[in-house]
Amino acid sequence: MKLHFSRGLSIPSGAKPVAMVSEMSRPVQAAILASDFPSIRWQAQIPEGQVVARGEALVRDRKCPDIVLTSPISGRVSEIAIGARRRLQWVTIEPEGDERLDFGPVDGASPEGLRALMLRAGLWPALRTRPFDRIPDPAAEASAVFVTAVDTNPNAADPLLILAGREDEFSRGVRAMELLTQGPVYVCQPAGARLFEPSGRIVAVDVSGPHPAGLPGSHIARLHPATIEKPVWHINYQDVIALGGLLATGEMETFRVIAASGPGMRNPRYLRVPLGVDLHALLRNELTPGQKIILSGSALSGWESRFLCRHHLQASVLEAPRPKRSHWFLAALARAAKPAAFIPTQALEQALGPDLPVVPLLRSLSVGNIEAAEKLGGLGLSEEDMALATYVTGAEIDFGKKLRAVLNELEEGA
Amino acid sequence: MIAGVWQRDTIGWVILAATLPVAGAAFIELGPAALWRGGLVLAVILVWQIVFLFTRAQPLTPIAFVTALSVALLAPGLQDPWQLALAVSFGVVIGEQVFGGWGRNVISAGVATLAFIYFGFPETLHAGTGPLVAAAVLPGGLMLIVTGIVSWQVIVSAVLGLSAVSLALGEDPLAFAVQGSLVFGLIYLVGDPVASAATRGGRWVYGALAGALTALFGWVDIGIDMPQAIVFAALLASLFAPLIDAGAVAVQTASWRRRNG
């Protein structure tokens, strides 16, 4: 199946990362972040200071105790941060030793066995549902599963390069996805790729076109629109490789290849790092002189974070903006001002992957009109789908945040 | 996060730059009188912008210049300062500032001011401008279309609608091209990105409606060389724009339902 997106924009993004995977020069700490899953309250399973093996459960969902997040590295729990309202914020692990947990013998042939295995190994949170982009309920069933093996974010890693030599694990993981749904499994891949044998309900989708052609939101809207009654799940290709490896060996792969790029990087390149790696420690020796901002995710849709977020396969280093000196009176006026309205230009028509009425949707989001936003197709979107619209309008209004506020309201009502 | 440069103010400055040749041509054609009237209008707009800056925290915009130019150019007959000040105050406050400033308005401030002038002081006679202004609009207009600030669909469909209705009325379908006021109004009043329709299909309907109304008012009522035709067409079309958009959205959501069950 072919899926071509004619709308889209290419964003000036500076030097592309060198397409060669390098290892970390030294082990650095890693963390699991509660902010990656804002709807969940986590409960720590292990006290501070204890030594944990790679793959050991660190925290557990209070409402649904089957969902756990596991340690990405072998080491010692150095900090369990508790934030406002006694919410767990993050757990950091200082690298130490090389203990790994073996999840074998695995039963990956039955739907129940696969779910239990993914939950136990901490791979279940790799799945996300549309609408809302949350971790799916372990008992629920998807109406379709999307495996995203294409990435059009500016300076993203090339999935084909990372998949090269790992086709066995990938296709094993893709076949396992069939157990999660009665519906189709769409594997969205760069046009012309031969990553696996399409069979049964597994459909290979050749995706082409400029960004946002590679976002799962774009694929879902075109192929299998998500509704609250019929949610769609999506997962990225590196998590599918990890699942394939887990099924084959019983060992959970917690390392991912990320593309580290941006104007602040001396040698933009691919790095193999654990999930939740400390980006500050990782990139400290890689930066050009001067003050920097380190983002987890792409320069377009990422955000400032010390640790790599769970679903990001990119880190971007930007120059920190110089503080502007302005007269105190003008500064006060600027601070008091409401965000200026956005002017609907033609560029906005290129900014969304799904074929939606863009300007009415953005207007409804900017005033928080929940009903209109739902009617105009906002339910199938997530923050990353709005990033280009925010960019095009000069980031006066953060449409991703506005969308999340609307989605939160809709989620409460659902 | 990186961000593009096309914020509201950038777009305002680009539109202002696009109108500079028109301002020059208007000065040549209408004489120095146009300059002081434009200056007075600009001063009144600035006063209101500052009032709303302090009371409602609405930042200033460079679009004030474009509003002032359209008033000076399309209502050249109005000489009384108090009449100008009254009309502009109405247009800027009721047309733009009470909605939250430029970008949140329903009709453009220039159109509101001009409609107020034509209705409020009907005894004043206004003459249109000629080919020099029409030619001066072209470079800026092209720049706005190329940068995507003015939608090409709106302009193309407006020209088509204008020509088609002119033909249907047995008039010259290309007569509008040498009318400075009309070409200026087509780009800056009808093509105003904020007040025009904002859906893909809606833009075609909106442009065609504005063009057809211009031809109708021009040939049947006021005269195609008069500025009133394009201003009333822009006023009516932008009042219908939300309805047109709602129709376009309804068509699209109906097609989703058909496709997805």
Side-chain angles (χ1 to χ4, degrees):
Chain A
M1 186 192 282
K2 283 195 169 48
L3 189 62
H4 179 72
F5 291 85
S6 49
R7 295 178 203 284
L9 294 168
S10 53
I11 300 297
S13 51
K16 289 235 167 300
V18 176
M20 211 183 64
V21 181
S22 13
E23 304 292 331
M24 294 190 295
S25 50
R26 63 199 159 84
V28 295
Q29 67 168 352
I32 53 171
L33 295 175
S35 57
D36 290 346
F37 314 98
S39 61
I40 296 180
R41 286 195 77 132
W42 298 103
Q43 200 165 24
Q45 294 298 106
I46 278 171
E48 242 171 66
Q50 184 163 328
V51 174
V52 291
R54 195 166 113 182
E56 206 170 327
L58 291 177
V59 296
R60 190 174 286 283
D61 183 352
R62 277 198 199 183
K63 277 221 191 84
C64 177
D66 285 341
I67 298 178
V68 297
L69 298 179
T70 52
S71 176
I73 55 172
S74 156
R76 189 178 295 277
V77 176
S78 52
E79 189 193 4
I80 299 177
I82 307 287
R85 304 173 77 182
R86 309 279 312 144
R87 254 175 195 265
L88 189 130
Q89 285 187 303
W90 63 76
V91 178
T92 56
I93 305 107
E94 210 53 66
E96 192 179 303
D98 191 18
E99 297 292 314
R100 307 164 181 211
L101 223 57
D102 189 13
F103 293 98
V106 297
D107 164 27
S110 69
E112 300 77 31
L114 178 74
R115 279 172 199 245
L117 177 68
M118 285 180 78
L119 284 165
R120 211 149 44 91
L123 204 50
W124 189 258
L127 289 164
R128 281 177 294 169
T129 64
R130 282 290 165 93
F132 306 130
D133 252 10
R134 303 294 193 212
I135 303 181
D137 179 356
E141 181 140 330
S143 76
V145 175
F146 280 75
V147 175
T148 313
V150 54
D151 200 341
T152 52
N153 275 303
N155 287 343
D158 178 9
L160 290 184
L161 194 102
I162 293 158
L163 282 161
R166 312 203 61 177
E167 289 88 353
D168 279 354
E169 286 147 300
F170 183 69
S171 50
R172 195 188 302 268
V174 168
R175 278 199 301 278
M177 287 293 126
E178 240 183 336
L179 298 175
L180 296 176
T181 176
Q182 299 289 332
V185 175
Y186 297 98
V187 182
C188 300
Q189 57 183 20
R194 290 265 162 279
L195 300 172
F196 63 98
E197 283 301 311
S199 62
R201 290 180 281 119
I202 304 175
V203 187
V205 183
D206 283 352
V207 177
S208 56
H211 189 67
L215 296 180
S218 308
H219 309 149
I220 292 170
R222 283 277 283 271
L223 298 173
H224 200 110
T227 59
I228 293 177
E229 295 79 35
K230 287 184 183 168
V232 169
W233 296 358
H234 63 99
I235 184 168
N236 73 45
Y237 62 102
Q238 294 206 28
D239 284 317
V240 173
I241 296 176
L243 175 63
L246 175 68
L247 288 170
T249 62
E251 199 179 294
M252 163 75 172
E253 169 70 283
T254 55
F255 278 58
R256 301 285 182 267
V257 177
I258 64 166
S261 67
M265 279 284 289
R266 258 185 297 150
N267 303 311
R269 61 182 200 275
Y270 296 179
L271 288 164
R272 190 186 310 280
V273 298
L275 288 166
V277 68
D278 183 345
L279 292 172
H280 288 198
L282 176 74
L283 299 176
R284 188 168 296 142
N285 299 328
E286 307 267 344
L287 307 179
T288 55
Q291 224 179 349
K292 300 287 179 285
I293 298 176
I294 299 183
L295 307 183
S296 169
S298 75
L300 202 55
S301 58
W303 52 84
E304 223 179 322
S305 169
R306 179 170 174 195
F307 301 101
L308 183 71
C309 296
R310 176 63 180 82
H311 302 285
H312 286 166
L313 296 174
Q314 256 184 290
S316 310
V317 185
L318 308 180
E319 302 288 346
R322 285 162 200 274
K324 268 197 212 133
R325 292 182 64 86
S326 76
H327 190 262
W328 63 267
F329 184 65
L330 297 179
L333 284 178
R335 254 201 304 283
K338 299 168 181 164
F342 71 96
I343 306 299
T345 59
Q346 293 290 294
L348 275 180
E349 297 295 336
Q350 311 292 324
L352 289 195
D355 187 18
L356 305 174
V358 184
V359 177
L361 175 66
L362 295 185
R363 281 187 174 148
S364 67
L365 288 180
S366 66
V367 296
N369 185 343
I370 296 160
E371 218 172 293
E374 185 185 9
K375 204 185 89 182
L376 294 168
L379 205 53
L381 301 174
S382 80
E383 281 101 327
E384 57 179 4
D385 294 307
M386 307 309 294
L388 209 48
T390 307
Y391 175 90
V392 161
T393 52
E396 292 250 6
I397 304 171
D398 185 342
F399 290 110
K401 269 196 191 127
K402 295 274 184 189
L403 175 77
R404 183 47 71 189
V406 166
L407 288 179
N408 285 343
E409 293 277 335
L410 285 170
E411 202 176 8
E412 261 169 43
Chain B
M1 268 190 355
I2 53 172
V5 295
W6 294 95
Q7 296 175 338
R8 185 182 77 148
D9 276 1
T10 321
I11 294 175
W13 285 113
V14 171
I15 299 181
L16 190 156
T19 57
L20 287 179
V22 190
F27 181 72
I28 294 171
E29 202 156 308
L30 299 172
L35 193 63
W36 78 255
R37 284 187 300 114
L40 173 71
V41 172
L42 189 60
V44 174
I45 298 177
L46 281 180
V47 166
W48 282 115
Q49 285 207 355
I50 289 169
V51 167
F52 276 84
L53 171 68
F54 281 93
T55 54
R56 308 285 304 147
Q58 290 169 196
L60 310 178
T61 64
I63 208 71
F65 182 84
V66 182
T67 308
L69 178 65
S70 31
V71 174
L73 190 68
L74 299 183
L78 202 66
Q79 303 291 347
D80 252 345
W82 74 265
Q83 289 182 338
L84 268 179
L86 184 68
V88 171
S89 302
F90 173 83
V92 167
V93 174
I94 301 298
E96 188 175 275
Q97 294 295 337
V98 289
F99 293 105
W102 185 53
R104 298 196 168 91
N105 47 328
V106 181
I107 55 173
S108 80
V111 170
T113 309
L114 288 164
F116 187 92
I117 290 175
Y118 299 152
F119 281 126
F121 314 111
E123 71 288 354
T124 315
L125 293 176
H126 304 284
T129 42
L132 179 66
V133 173
V137 170
L138 277 186
L142 271 180
M143 181 180 81
L144 293 182
I145 290 174
V146 168
T147 49
I149 293 174
V150 167
S151 141
W152 63 269
Q153 294 100 322
V154 166
I155 302 303
V156 168
S157 58
V159 168
L160 288 180
L162 214 169
S163 307
V165 174
S166 299
L167 262 184
L169 294 171
E171 304 285 353
D172 179 6
L174 294 174
F176 72 90
V178 292
Q179 303 299 332
S181 320
L182 204 155
V183 176
F184 176 83
L186 198 62
I187 298 283
Y188 293 99
L189 302 184
V190 174
D192 179 0
V194 178
S196 60
T199 48
R200 281 172 203 150
R203 288 199 175 108
W204 289 99
V205 179
Y206 165 87
L209 176 70
L213 285 174
T214 311
L216 198 65
F217 295 155
W219 293 119
V220 176
D221 188 31
I222 313 161
I224 198 81
D225 52 345
M226 291 295 172
Q228 281 94 332
I230 188 79
V231 170
F232 286 132
L235 175 66
L236 271 179
S238 52
L239 287 179
F240 274 105
L243 186 67
I244 294 170
D245 278 341
V249 168
V251 168
Q252 193 170 8
T253 43
S255 84
W256 289 344
R257 259 199 299 279
R258 244 199 331 277
R259 197 149 37 99
N260 306 326

